[in-house]
Amino acid sequence: MKNFSGKTLFLDRSDINTDEIIPAKYLTEITKKAMGPHLLEDLKMDGFDPEKDLEGISVIITKENFGCGSSREHAPWALEVNDINLVIAPNFARIFRQNMFNCGMMAVEIEESKVNEIFSKFANKETSITTDFDAKTFSINAEDLSLKLDFIISGFDEALVKAGGWVEYADGNY
Amino acid sequence: MGKTTAQKIFDTHRIDRPSEGIEVINLDAVFCHEITTPTAIVDLMERGKDRVFDPTKIKAVIDHVTPAKDSLTAMQGKVLREWAGRQNIKDFFDVGRNGVCHAIFPEKGFARPGYTIIMGDSHTCTHGAFGAFAAGVGTTDLEVGILKGICAFLSPETIRIKLTGKIPAGIYPKDIILHIIGSIGVNGATNHVIEFTGPVIDEMSMEGRMTVCNMAIEAGATCGICYPDMTTVDYLWPFISDDFSSKDEALNEYRKFVPDEDAVYAKDLDMDISELKPLVTYGYKPDLVKPAAELSGEKVDQVYIGSCTNGRIEDLREAAAVLKDKKIADSVRVVVSPATPDIYKQALKEGLVEIFMESGCCLTNPTCGACLGMSNGVLAEGEVCVSTTNRNFNGRMGKGGMVHLASPATAAASALTGTITTADQL
Ligand code: SF4
């Protein structure tokens, strides 16, 4: 199983699409590693600088419809090779969400009001999220503040995370 | 309880329900192109699983960058080409015989009513125009599709959009789908199938239905579906005439995939399109839609006519009708990419190619190139393009470029003035 805990990046925008996560011009690459330096390079957001802000990040929390746009799995790979295996949002584009679990990574949906609460309390602080996969909880921690939160993933997604992805699961089960 | 089209298709293809709300179905076809498939092939090789479930059900094409523009894209083509040879995949369309995937595969009869189809490409929803369940997937799903001929989906929930009224003159399927996306939003159909129905669809050609279904993904939909009818049967007849004794018999068979009257829908929408005006998008999301007349006068650097949305023969006719005997503005460049070799040949035969060239357009070979900013018409920083494609995301056709999505008629009219213009403003 992959690592789902660590320093957290807040992306306060909805509809962040796959072109912003990894620009189409890198689709000519055949390996995952080549995506690494280009994660979120085209994301237009006030005050966001991918070179500085991605340093040491393991978790992303963001707003609605993250990963919309193209079906490219390069988007989760760009995250994966940067050791970001967990994205939290109120909801995701279908293909992106499925791609994450297919790679043994997690795209976890949390109620919008909760996401907003986390943004308002933690977004300006150095924050880290710790995942307890068996208990299905996140603990969100900043210097002076902490919050515990349950999350739900389907039995199938759980099996994919445990198997390390869909190729292994499918070849083993069908 | 009645069933929707997608539910009926799932009923005939389901092999497992690994978890509440998840269905594993077997696949009638797996489509492949050179951008997303090589990664799947390389990964399967690395896992020691370089096999395919059935070479006759796999169709592959080089279309995004063709002919190759550099060593990287040449390598993508090579990986796909060698794999097709090694795995005995006969339906592989190499340079010269290739065209945009969602145009060439239907043209070859590979999409049929009741089929289940996946591809590592989000506009796979196009093939729903034939009454198929066709969905874009990521590379891992593609790998499993190639290896096992199966895919997992959420149990399909459906939104039905009934299009009524009379299509006004100068309004095309592209305007209709832009209107729908503008109304329901980029997230309006996420995780849902859309059934497009009503008299407007009944009257539409297969080309028009493909344009509409093509952009279902821009509202987040898994697939856009039109019900199989005589238009579908007529289009497919060259490929199915051995399987049925008459067109009526074929239609009877395919009607199995028309939804039951008491089918249950997540949402049921009615849209009257009688008052529709030519539309364009005006921002970085395809649901930011306005009447083109409201943007009229805005300067345009490039016009692009092509893609899996609007690179078919009807689209070329629509654009050529506007350009005939006229010259494009000096300040603008126009790139036209017929979507397949057959469309190109047909355009030659009908004199459309001559119209384009006389008016000052550049014709390319069949390719996606410009649509995703990879070749054959990439925008420079700060440039504006009126494009018949399906995506206006920031950087889509070139970093710092602005894309206004429009119908071929509006694109052609804008080419003549060098500013955003509708055909009826000329
Ligand atoms: S034409 Fe554009 S949208 Fe269609 S398959 Fe090619 S790149 Fe994708």
Side-chain angles (χ1 to χ4, degrees), chain B residues 229-372:
Chain B
D229 61 7
M230 209 32 124
T231 306
T232 323
V233 172
D234 284 338
Y235 185 100
L236 288 174
W237 191 245
F239 311 103
I240 60 173
S241 56
D242 286 346
D243 304 340
F244 300 101
S245 63
S246 69
K247 287 187 177 179
D248 284 325
E249 193 194 312
L251 182 60
N252 236 341
E253 175 64 21
Y254 291 154
R255 300 272 315 165
K256 285 200 311 217
F257 299 106
V258 173
D260 297 323
E261 269 180 33
D262 55 345
V264 180
Y265 292 93
K267 248 188 234 163
D268 217 340
L269 305 173
D270 269 345
M271 294 190 193
D272 186 331
I273 55 125
S274 310
E275 301 294 322
L276 215 57
K277 301 270 185 289
L279 299 173
V280 288
T281 61
Y282 61 91
Y284 292 135
K285 287 196 310 168
D287 60 356
L288 299 172
V289 173
K290 267 188 190 167
E294 287 182 25
L295 271 81
S296 87
E298 189 172 314
K299 196 180 162 304
V300 175
D301 300 292
Q302 177 171 300
V303 167
Y304 182 64
I305 298 168
S307 86
C308 59
T309 319
N310 281 130
R312 299 188 181 80
I313 191 68
E314 286 188 359
D315 305 313
L316 301 188
R317 286 182 192 135
E318 187 185 317
V322 176
L323 295 172
K324 193 169 168 25
D325 300 328
K326 301 200 176 78
K327 300 275 181 216
I328 62 168
D330 289 341
S331 57
V332 91
R333 55 192 192 268
V334 180
V335 178
V336 182
S337 301
T340 71
D342 281 356
I343 293 167
Y344 205 134
K345 279 188 270 177
Q346 185 64 28
L348 265 170
K349 225 187 267 171
E350 294 181 19
L352 310 182
V353 168
E354 186 164 354
I355 294 173
F356 289 129
M357 296 192 82
E358 284 302 319
S359 70
C361 304
C362 163
L363 268 97
T364 76
N365 60 306
T367 175
C368 301
C371 170
L372 78 167

Side-chain angles (χ1 to χ4, degrees), chain A residues 15 17 19 27-28 30 42 44 65 69-71 73 77 94-95 99 102 155-156 166-168 170-171 174, chain B residues 16 19 24 39 47 49 73 76 122 136 138-141 143-144 148 187 191 222 285 374 391 393-394:
Chain A
D15 303 318
N17 66 54
D19 280 273
L27 303 194
T28 50
I30 296 174
D42 271 357
K44 293 270 178 306
N65 203 26
S70 135
S71 61
E73 202 149 322
W77 295 339
R94 174 190 66 93
I95 297 174
N99 285 343
N102 281 347
F156 183 50
W166 171 230
V167 176
E168 300 304 330
D171 214 23
Y174 302 108
Chain B
D16 191 17
S19 155
V24 179
T39 352
R47 291 173 195 265
K49 298 179 198 285
T73 52
Q76 290 181 309
S122 38
T139 305
T140 306
D141 276 343
E143 280 180 46
V144 172
K148 310 291 282 186
N187 207 9
N191 285 335
T222 311
K285 287 196 310 168
M374 287 183 84
R391 292 213 154 137
F393 300 156
N394 189 3

Side-chain angles (χ1 to χ4, degrees), chain A residues 24-172:
Chain A
K25 62 176 181 240
Y26 302 116
L27 303 194
T28 50
E29 302 289 349
I30 296 174
T31 63
K32 296 184 183 186
K33 269 229 150 50
M35 309 295 137
H38 308 295
L39 177 65
L40 295 170
E41 137 183 317
D42 271 357
L43 178 65
K44 293 270 178 306
M45 232 179 68
D46 282 349
F48 176 70
D49 174 0
E51 281 190 21
K52 272 201 244 117
D53 296 346
L54 286 167
E55 188 64 41
I57 294 298
S58 301
V59 177
I60 289 176
I61 178 161
T62 183
K63 298 289 173 78
E64 278 200 319
N65 203 26
F66 185 81
C68 58
S70 135
S71 61
R72 71 187 66 143
E73 202 149 322
H74 304 69
W77 295 339
L79 294 166
E80 188 184 9
V81 296
N82 280 285
D83 293 321
I84 300 170
N85 297 310
L86 170 62
V87 183
I88 300 170
N91 55 55
F92 294 90
R94 174 190 66 93
I95 297 174
F96 176 82
R97 202 198 70 84
Q98 192 61 52
N99 285 343
M100 288 286 284
F101 285 100
N102 281 347
C103 292
M105 300 158 74
M106 292 212 288
V108 179
E109 300 184 337
I110 298 284
E111 261 174 73
E112 192 169 8
S113 59
K114 281 270 183 276
V115 170
N116 291 339
E117 184 189 336
I118 297 168
F119 264 87
S120 66
K121 288 189 174 150
F122 292 89
N124 298 322
K125 301 186 166 68
E126 169 117 359
T127 301
S128 80
I129 293 184
T130 307
T131 303
D132 184 335
F133 189 76
D134 294 324
K136 304 281 175 304
T137 58
F138 294 131
S139 20
I140 306 159
N141 297 292
E143 256 167 61
D144 50 344
L145 209 61
S146 71
L147 188 77
K148 208 165 176 166
L149 203 66
D150 295 331
F151 68 87
I152 301 170
I153 61 172
S154 78
F156 183 50
D157 289 341
E158 183 168 350
L160 291 177
V161 171
K162 284 187 173 153
W166 171 230
V167 176
E168 300 304 330
Y169 183 89
D171 214 23

Side-chain angles (χ1 to χ4, degrees), chain B residues 6 15 23 30 39 68 118 135 161 176 190 261 291-292 303 376 380 385 394 404-405:
Chain B
I15 59 166
E23 310 196 25
V30 177
T39 352
I118 62 164
I161 301 182
I176 295 173
T190 302
E261 269 180 33
V303 167
N376 292 69
C385 182
N394 189 3
H404 296 282
L405 304 175

